[in-house]
Amino acid sequence: MVRVEANRRDFLRWLATAGAGLAAAGIAPALFAQEAAAAGTDVVVVLGATVVDGTDAPARPNSAVVLVGDRIAWVGPAAELPHHAGARIVDGRGRYLIPGLWDMHTHGIDYEKLWPPLFLANGVTGIREMQGYDENRATRDKIVRGELLGPRVVLASSILDGPVSLLGPPITQVATPEEGRAAVRTAVEQGSDFVKVYFYLPKDVFLAIADECRRVGLPFAGHWPYRLRQVEAARAGQRTFEHLFGLSIATSRRRDEFLARLDATPFDPDAKRDFFNLARDLDRQAAQTYDPATAERHFAQLKALDNWVSPTFTVNRVMSSPTETYAHDPRLKYVSQDIVDYWADRLPMFTPATAEQIDQQNAYFEAQLRLVGAAHRAGLGVLGGTDCLNPYVFPGFSLHDELGYLVQAGLSPRQALQTVTRDAARFLGRSATAGTITPGKVADVVLLDANPLTDIRAVRRIDTVVTAGRVLDRARLTRMLADAETAAKQPLASANSRSVGLPVRGCC
């Protein structure tokens, strides 16, 4: 033990002299090494892998990546690494190392025995949880304190919607500008990372929320607010439009006609879903009347306002498919029967039933793929997210599906991967600390058995996940999946100590 400890100190001393990358990240290498030595911090070396670092740089074969605690400390050719006794070695030979993945649209992290292990086992080391409530705030805090193994969580406020809403508790309904401002202040008090806005907000309430978010320094994102044009909402500060709602209308040659019809239709408190169904139908029609010139102007305006699109193709594909399509998905073994029953009950509200409807929905989905491809080519930021907890959208697994759809939309495998690594970090304001395999950044990496730059399906072939410096090897990941499968066989209340039941109603 004494010799191992001495070797570790020797290795850290070398790091103090070789840590140019740390210095570039604003971290003093010598001080970093001294503090790590004093704390007895674990040292992990991923040796011999081809590094796909999340940037536009070429892949680097036969590399070494040194992780010290929760930081990437050094990246370089394996041949330049000195004797590293005392470090834990992860064999990367013949494998590919990528940054940890982010699912940028999730729900359900408070299903603690199911969701957190499923995310990590699929290489998802960070999530943007799109609805905040007491239970998932508690789960996030347990992860931060190290009491629960799970992904990093960026957590929304309670969903803010108008006095008429498709959703029920635990959302927050606001009817006046004063109530909207108060809801933003509550979000700050609750430690929310951003405010989530929804469809049916009145225009004056939306603008009050936007102004209060500016005042308190909290970003906001969410669904297209029907009573505003997308550019108007983006100009007020909305950072994303989720699920592609409204993008087809905004890029249609019949845009003004469709928007006028929506403007003339009230939100009916006695038939809350009617407006939503009308908007979806108009969006499907608009998808077949795409106008390149209109789209080019729209994309340029959104890009100038640093607005991003979060397609969530995975949930859109489910909603565009007949109800029975996913009824025998093998991944259902990881989901509680309570949730599966809920999915079976809710899904027929959204999915096509007749042959004509199925054809329409397939055409709509293909048009959405083309639309996102055009938006990406125009330089509009794209974020990879799934909307898990909606029917047949599985934590972790479905992000792999999402990456495949992004490639179908026209992104290269590298570009698709960047939507859930480098670009996700940039959107979240974490470029200095996350998103790429760079010295000084967090020690979240995934080791794959195949090259994701030649086939994006390689992200499914996971050998090892490192999250916050903790190594989860293949054996550990297999146990995590087995434990989740066992937990899924139990009643939901016993499978999860922190749950509000099923708070999600449709896409949110």
Side-chain angles (χ1 to χ4, degrees), residues 214-236:
R214 272 194 303 273
R215 191 186 71 80
V216 301
L218 201 63
F220 73 99
H223 288 208
W224 171 38
Y226 288 134
R227 292 313 186 201
L228 288 86
R229 305 298 186 256
Q230 283 196 337
V231 170
E232 188 179 11
R235 191 173 291 121

Side-chain angles (χ1 to χ4, degrees), residues 2 15 92 168 228 321 441:
V2 173
L15 184 63
L228 288 86
S321 305
K441 297 194 177 183

Side-chain angles (χ1 to χ4, degrees), residues 141-216:
D141 293 346
K142 287 173 70 174
I143 292 171
V144 170
R145 292 193 300 265
E147 298 168 9
L148 176 68
L149 184 62
R152 301 175 195 270
V153 180
V154 171
L155 184 59
S157 68
S158 172
I159 291 175
L160 306 188
D161 205 5
V164 177
S165 181
L166 300 175
L167 306 178
I171 75 156
T172 299
Q173 291 178 258
V174 290
T176 67
E178 292 73 22
E179 290 178 354
R181 291 180 183 277
V184 173
R185 293 193 293 272
T186 296
V188 174
E189 293 167 2
Q190 292 174 333
S192 305
D193 295 300
F194 65 100
V195 165
K196 168 78 176 287
V197 294
Y198 213 64
F199 287 128
Y200 285 8
L201 283 167
K203 183 173 181 177
D204 62 337
V205 178
F206 175 91
L207 292 175
I209 289 169
D211 184 66
E212 192 69 15
C213 283
R214 272 194 303 273
R215 191 186 71 80
V216 301

Side-chain angles (χ1 to χ4, degrees), residues 425-439:
R426 177 189 153 202
F427 172 82
L428 294 170
R430 298 188 176 203
S431 289
T433 59
T436 63
I437 300 177
T438 306

Side-chain angles (χ1 to χ4, degrees), residues 437-456:
I437 300 177
T438 306
K441 297 194 177 183
V442 293
D444 295 347
V445 295
V446 182
L447 190 62
L448 305 175
D449 286 331
N451 185 357
L453 299 184
T454 57
D455 187 344
I456 196 61

